[in-house]
């Protein structure tokens, strides 16, 4: 169809292989080709007709002809039915094995029509209902309607958990909440006792989504079950507790959860952080770097010594960035040691130390001991105080490369923060190689993203002048089953990289304020968070709303 060249496909192949996905998926995600164009091309190749499932109303008799299990198994939707033929909409008309399987399963001749994967998923949800009958909503409905007696859950109040029946409905409900959260790609599960309800929310792509709440009467039993699973004391309800859960979420798949329990006015609030290791081996390109920033960052993390600081608020992806850096430079000829609180993920080939304040193993104590282990590279979970910062800077000045994080709003403010902690400005200037601020924005769903023309006001809100932009690729997600009708699926970073030069070091030595440093950083080529976000809006990776949500104006 002339929409792609061989060169474009081959250029994208390494990135697709690194991400573990098909080249077409990557091309669609990058906005090089539209999902609808791919559907049309697949249909043309197979000599089949393209249909718009979303604009059709399928007859009940047609839906009744093909059972749910066949529709789910082959990811196909019936469109027309006759005495000896069934017309099915599929997204992969070249998958002859599945088409043959459909004919065998239905006992009829199958004719093929082609629709996009998102349209098929929408149709399955619309005509065949939810994917699972054992979903959280179904379980709560059964309990609410009296099919399960709440009284059968009382054994969970036993402190040892010895009387808990392995098949108790409350155990199944708690397990299903965790499984549903994992399948929804949630990063956190929040269980919050309110005055009249027991609220459950999942944080998906950084935004909280409320699900159907269990009855208030189940609150104590659900919380007790989670405290037993995470090895907390269920008899202690007055002080905060922390724990961990290791639980299966599917065939051969087990996940870890970090659990925090805090007493509130209306009961104990529990937050579970899902520790998913799939993001730890991301290449730098998958973090969201454009090629120019990625080249700069790769040069920085290959330096033999100095400090590289990653800044941003909690939940801005700092840990994932640091782990990706370690993965990038982890080689047999380098010794890497980390000090973390807590060690959330275990990495092959890297020595990781868990801070344990109760026995005197603080960040500073662990860092001193690490320097006697002759490491090449050190990662500090966070620079929190003067003692830790002093040891880290001394380590960088004696031939070690040090990675760490700080909680500041932008990159130049990291200098001010270190000086405020008590580090002498000349030490900051001589040891720090670069500072990088980052935020996470939601990525447009590749299945439902479509061309979109933002207003001039939208573009100017993120600092863009429409007259200055050449060949933009503005996109916006329409919402589909795959992205839970949000128009977004997944997140990536926007970055602000401040590489120190001699002039910037002199400003630090002279105790210049952060505003002066920021002006100098802009002069020597630093893009602000909002400017980097604007570039990614033009490239069709996210929207103006997302950039505005996570960044301040450059004047601010």
């Amino acid at each position: 169809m002339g929409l792609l060249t061989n060169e474009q496909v081959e250029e994208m192949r390494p990135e697709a292989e690194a991400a573990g996905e098909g080249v077409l998926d990557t091309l669609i995600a990058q906005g090089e080709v539209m999902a609808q164009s791919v559907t049309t091309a697949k249909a043309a190749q197979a000599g089949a007709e393209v249909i718009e499932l979303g604009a059709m109303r399928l007859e009940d008799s047609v839906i009744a002809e093909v059972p749910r299990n066949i529709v789910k198994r082959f990811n196909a939707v019936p469109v027309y039915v006759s005495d000896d033929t069934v017309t099915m909409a599929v997204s992969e008309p070249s998958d002859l094995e599945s088409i043959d399987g459909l004919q065998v399963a239905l006992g009829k001749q199958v004719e093929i029509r082609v629709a996009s994967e998102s349209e098929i998923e929408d149709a399955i949800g619309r005509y065949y209902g939810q994917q699972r009958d054992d979903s959280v909503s179904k379980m709560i409905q059964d309990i609410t309607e009296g099919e399960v007696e709440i009284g059968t859950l009382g054994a969970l109040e036993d402190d040892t958990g010895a009387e808990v029946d392995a098949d108790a409905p409350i155990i199944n409900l708690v397990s299903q909440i965790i499984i549903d959260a994992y399948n929804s790609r949630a990063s956190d599960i929040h269980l919050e006792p309110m005055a009249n309800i027991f609220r459950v929310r999942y944080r998906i792509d950084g935004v909280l989504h409320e699900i159907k709440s269990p009855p208030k009467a189940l609150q104590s039993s659900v919380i007790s079950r989670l405290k037993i699973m995470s090895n907390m004391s269920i008899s202690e309800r007055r002080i905060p507790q922390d724990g961990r859960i290791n639980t299966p979420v599917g065939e051969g798949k087990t996940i870890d959860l970090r659990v925090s329990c805090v007493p509130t006015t209306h009961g104990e609030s529990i937050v579970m952080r899902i520790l998913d290791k799939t993001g730890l081996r991301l290449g730098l390109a998958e973090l969201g770097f454009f090629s120019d920033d990625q080249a700069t960052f790769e040069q920085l993390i290959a330096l033999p010594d100095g400090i590289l600081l990653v800044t941003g608020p909690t939940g801005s992806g700092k840990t994932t960035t640091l782990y990706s850096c370690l993965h990038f430079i982890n080689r047999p000829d380098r010794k890497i040691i980390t000090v973390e609180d807590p060690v959330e993920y275990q990495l092959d080939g890297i020595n990781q130390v868990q801070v344990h304040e109760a026995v005197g193993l603080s960040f500073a104590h662990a860092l001193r001991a690490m320097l006697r282990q002759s490491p090449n590279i050190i990662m500090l979970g966070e620079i929190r105080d003067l003692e830790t910062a002093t040891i880290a800077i001394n380590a960088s000045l004696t031939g070690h490369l040090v990675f760490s994080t700080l909680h500041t709003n932008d990159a130049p403010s990291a200098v001010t923060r270190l000086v405020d902690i008590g580090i002498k400005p000349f030490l900051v200037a001589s040891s720090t190689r670069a500072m990088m601020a980052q935020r996470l924005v939601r990525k447009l769903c590749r299945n439902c993203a479509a061309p979109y023309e933002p207003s001039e006001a939208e573009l100017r809100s993120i600092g863009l002048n429409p007259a200055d932009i050449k060949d933009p690729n503005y996109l916006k997600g329409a919402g589909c089953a795959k992205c839970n009708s949000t128009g977004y699926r997944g997140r990536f970073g926007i970055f602000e990289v401040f590489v120190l030069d001699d002039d910037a070091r002199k400003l630090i030595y002279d105790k210049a304020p952060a505003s002066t440093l920021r002006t100098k950083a802009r002069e020597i080529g630093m893009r602000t968070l909002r400017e980097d976000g604007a570039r990614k809006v033009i490239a069709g990776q996210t929207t103006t709303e997302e950039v505005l949500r996570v960044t301040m104006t450059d004047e601010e």
Side-chain angles (χ1 to χ4, degrees), residues 96-307:
L96 300 180
E97 186 177 343
S98 290
I99 295 170
D100 289 342
L102 266 173
Q103 292 189 155
V104 172
L106 295 172
K108 290 187 176 186
Q109 188 69 26
V110 172
E111 291 185 359
I112 294 302
R113 301 288 185 270
V114 183
S116 68
E117 186 174 347
S118 60
E119 283 188 314
I120 288 174
E121 289 186 357
D122 284 342
I124 291 174
R126 193 182 327 134
Y127 295 106
Y128 287 90
Q130 296 297 321
Q131 294 186 20
R132 292 185 303 273
D133 285 335
D134 60 343
S135 65
V136 172
S137 297
K138 179 67 166 60
M139 290 185 173
I140 292 172
Q141 181 181 348
D142 289 345
I143 294 171
T144 305
E145 293 177 355
E147 294 185 23
V148 174
E149 290 292 334
I150 295 177
T152 65
L153 311 176
L156 286 168
E157 296 299 326
D158 177 63
D159 201 351
T160 66
E163 297 180 30
V164 174
D165 177 6
D167 294 324
I170 199 69
I171 295 179
N172 294 333
L173 175 60
V174 169
S175 297
Q176 195 62 47
I177 287 174
I178 295 172
I179 291 170
D180 277 10
Y182 174 78
N183 290 337
S184 301
R185 302 176 299 104
S187 59
D188 308 291
I189 307 170
H190 295 249
L191 297 98
E192 303 159 311
M194 301 289 147
N196 300 311
I197 62 169
F198 180 39
R199 185 166 68 175
V200 179
R201 296 191 288 177
Y202 298 156
R203 188 183 297 279
I204 303 171
D205 294 335
V207 178
L208 284 168
H209 298 266
E210 188 165 351
I211 68 166
K212 184 175 177 62
S213 300
K216 181 74 173 174
L218 297 188
Q219 176 178 309
S220 61
S221 295
V222 169
I223 290 174
S224 293
R225 171 61 184 160
L226 285 168
K227 289 171 75 173
I228 290 170
M229 291 175 70
S230 50
N231 294 317
M232 299 180 193
S233 169
I234 64 172
S235 60
E236 179 56 76
R237 298 181 174 87
R238 299 164 299 175
I239 60 174
Q241 298 185 71
D242 294 308
R244 291 178 80 101
I245 294 175
N246 184 274
T247 184
V249 291
E251 189 173 340
K253 176 68 178 178
T254 301
I255 61 169
D256 290 325
L257 299 100
R258 193 177 76 201
V259 186
S260 170
C261 179
V262 175
T264 67
T265 307
H266 301 292
E268 292 171 288
S269 172
I270 286 186
V271 176
M272 294 180 281
R273 172 88 183 273
I274 298 175
L275 305 178
D276 187 5
K277 298 181 182 180
T278 55
L280 298 183
R281 296 185 179 273
L282 289 176
L284 297 180
E286 285 74 44
L287 294 178
F289 284 108
F290 272 165
S291 56
D292 51 356
D293 282 341
Q294 182 178 336
T296 300
F297 199 63
E298 286 178 1
Q299 291 171 3
L300 290 170
I301 64 179
L303 292 171
D305 55 32
I307 290 184

Side-chain angles (χ1 to χ4, degrees), residues 59-67 128:
E59 298 293 334
D60 292 342
S61 57
V62 173
I63 298 300
E65 189 72 23
V66 182
Y128 287 90

